[in-house]
Amino acid sequence: MREKRSNKEIMLLILFTALVCLGVIHFSALLMMLRSLLVMIKPFLTGACIAFVVNLPLKFLEEKALSRLPEKAEKLKRPLSIFLSFLFIFAVVILVILTVIPQMGRALTQLGQKIPVFLERTINQAEILVADYPEILSWLNNLERISLNWDSILGTAANFLKNGVGSLLNSTFTVAGSLVGGVVSGFIALIFSIYILSQKEKLGGQLKRILHAYCKEKQEQRILYVSGLLYRNFSKFITGQCTEAVILGLLFVIAMTIFRMPYAVMIGVLIAFTALIPIVGAFIGCFVGAFLILVDDPIKAVWFVIMFLIIQQLEGNLIYPKVVGNSVGLPSIWVLLAVSLGSSMFGVIGMLVFIPLFATIYTLLRDDVNRRNAGETGVPSKGREKA
């Protein structure tokens, strides 16, 4: 029996080694195949992510808001909860757009009105400068005497226009194709997310049956434990991130109102929305806010940037690690490490994923360390100081 097991393990090891060697030899072909596979399953992965986010308000609606529906309307609870959850998320996005876009339009209109005044002032300053420094005028006159090869310039411009038109057409078709493909992928992702939300108990039961059929009991329990831990950490992270964004937006609204800066509510909403991107998202709102205030009053724009840096330091070092770190049970230093590593490897998506992922790794490592220490000393883990 042992010989059969050893022979089977050797055969599996040989097969695994052969597959690794084939993967190394045909690495480029394997990479292309993986990219093609990722493109195919991307709408479904996106739909799963959408379902995960929408499930948070959906659970609240089913367990709290719609829990007292009569038995006859019990079948309508899930469809109604899905509809209201999507409606809530779309309403938040539309509220941000309706708050930010009109103010941006007014700021650009004011900018257009101020440009002629700025140009006239610049011309007057230039005339004064030339009158004070006549050598600038002689230097400009010398530039006029430089001979130019107009035939070469016109030929270059014609070639640029000819090639540019072709590139523009190709770019137009590429963008149109990408837009159509994006719309189709988005529609598939939306339908798939609705299917997951409406059948989530059934799908969960099927996955548990598959694990029970192909895994040992200990392995099954371990997989279910880690999966539940990942789900709780991601859910708490999203909740904490939204809470932190609201706190940051309110801080800006209050501070800008106290110092009588323009666009307080709009900039606060914009910064709260962009702050959903960990650590660096608020800088996007700062850039837009500084631009809007610059059109109205350049001095206040400088003070706004200074105020932003102060609030950002307060938020980045105190509020964010406490609110988000505590929500996922992750110490502040691990939050900063997760954000730094995730952003360097995968950009914005890495920031969003690495914090709950690190929280899960930290919890598993802490439990394993406590278990091993308790096993060595014979002291129960509850009686020992947790890592």
Side-chain angles (χ1 to χ4, degrees):
M1 186 70 179
R2 290 182 179 177
E3 291 181 359
K4 289 183 178 179
R5 282 188 64 184
S6 61
N7 290 334
K8 185 177 180 181
E9 290 174 355
I10 292 171
M11 291 297 295
L12 290 173
L13 182 61
I14 293 172
L15 179 62
F16 176 75
T17 306
L19 290 174
V20 171
C21 292
L22 284 173
V24 172
I25 294 171
H26 302 284
F27 181 74
S28 59
L30 180 64
L31 193 61
M32 290 181 63
M33 185 176 68
L34 289 175
R35 286 179 178 174
S36 301
L37 181 63
L38 183 61
V39 170
M40 291 173 60
I41 66 174
K42 186 178 179 181
F44 301 100
L45 291 176
T46 305
C49 294
I50 293 172
F52 184 87
V53 173
V54 176
N55 186 55
L56 298 177
L58 179 115
K59 284 184 65 178
F60 172 79
L61 289 171
E62 284 189 338
E63 296 174 3
K64 303 293 182 181
L66 302 179
S67 59
R68 297 183 180 180
L69 284 178
E71 294 183 2
K72 295 181 180 180
E74 190 69 23
K75 293 182 180 180
L76 297 176
K77 182 187 290 186
R78 179 59 56 83
L80 186 60
S81 299
I82 293 174
F83 173 75
L84 291 176
S85 300
F86 275 105
L87 183 64
F88 171 74
I89 294 174
F90 288 147
V92 171
V93 175
I94 292 172
L95 177 64
V96 173
I97 292 174
L98 293 179
T99 305
V100 173
I101 297 299
Q103 296 288 349
M104 286 285 291
R106 291 173 193 168
L108 292 175
T109 303
Q110 292 179 11
L111 183 63
Q113 294 172 353
K114 292 182 179 181
I115 283 176
V117 178
F118 173 76
L119 290 177
E120 184 178 356
R121 190 180 303 168
T122 303
I123 292 172
N124 293 332
Q125 291 294 330
E127 291 177 352
I128 295 171
L129 186 65
V130 170
D132 293 338
Y133 299 95
E135 57 270 17
I136 296 178
L137 186 60
S138 62
W139 181 72
L140 293 174
N141 291 330
N142 290 332
L143 289 178
E144 294 179 356
R145 299 192 189 113
I146 298 175
S147 60
L148 298 175
N149 189 350
W150 291 106
D151 293 335
S152 176
I153 293 174
L154 290 175
T156 304
N159 291 329
F160 175 78
L161 290 174
K162 182 172 65 177
N163 296 328
V165 170
S167 301
L168 180 62
L169 290 175
N170 292 331
S171 301
T172 302
F173 286 118
T174 303
V175 170
S178 301
L179 184 62
V180 173
V183 170
V184 173
S185 298
F187 181 74
I188 293 173
L190 182 63
I191 296 300
F192 188 64
S193 67
I194 293 174
Y195 172 76
I196 292 176
L197 291 170
S198 60
Q199 303 288 330
K200 60 179 184 176
E201 290 85 4
K202 183 178 180 181
L203 293 173
Q206 290 174 347
L207 290 175
K208 288 181 180 179
R209 289 179 62 190
I210 292 173
L211 287 175
H212 187 72
Y214 293 100
C215 297
K216 296 179 181 179
E217 184 178 356
K218 191 174 181 180
Q219 295 174 339
E220 178 187 357
Q221 295 298 325
R222 189 64 177 173
I223 292 172
L224 291 175
Y225 171 73
V226 174
S227 300
L229 190 61
L230 276 169
Y231 173 78
R232 288 193 298 273
N233 285 333
F234 271 89
S235 300
K236 290 179 179 178
F237 170 72
I238 293 174
T239 305
Q241 192 70 28
C242 293
T243 304
E244 185 267 343
V246 172
I247 292 173
L248 186 63
L250 286 175
L251 284 176
F252 272 95
V253 171
I254 294 170
M256 293 179 69
T257 303
I258 292 173
F259 292 104
R260 297 182 180 180
M261 292 184 180
Y263 312 114
V265 176
M266 188 274 293
I267 293 175
V269 171
L270 180 63
I271 289 178
F273 187 74
T274 56
L276 293 174
I277 304 171
I279 303 293
V280 299
F283 285 95
I284 302 171
C286 171
F287 176 79
V288 177
F291 171 75
L292 293 175
I293 298 174
L294 180 67
V295 174
D296 190 76
D297 190 338
I299 302 299
K300 288 185 178 179
V302 175
W303 283 110
F304 170 77
V305 173
I306 295 172
M307 182 186 70
F308 172 83
L309 294 175
I310 295 172
I311 295 178
Q312 182 65 20
Q313 288 297 315
L314 177 67
E315 183 265 347
N317 293 302
L318 294 178
I319 299 175
Y320 187 84
K322 292 294 181 182
V323 173
V324 179
N326 289 341
S327 66
V328 295
L330 193 63
S332 303
I333 187 64
W334 280 65
V335 173
L336 297 176
L337 178 62
V339 169
S340 302
L341 188 60
S343 62
S344 62
M345 293 179 65
F346 301 104
V348 175
I349 301 299
M351 293 182 192
L352 297 173
V353 172
F354 268 52
I355 292 178
L357 186 62
F358 267 51
T360 304
I361 295 172
Y362 175 79
T363 303
L364 294 174
L365 181 62
R366 181 194 63 194
D367 292 345
D368 189 62
V369 168
N370 290 332
R371 180 179 59 81
R372 288 175 182 269
N373 289 334
E376 288 177 1
T377 59
V379 178
S381 58
K382 291 183 179 179
R384 293 176 59 86
E385 186 179 355
K386 292 186 178 180

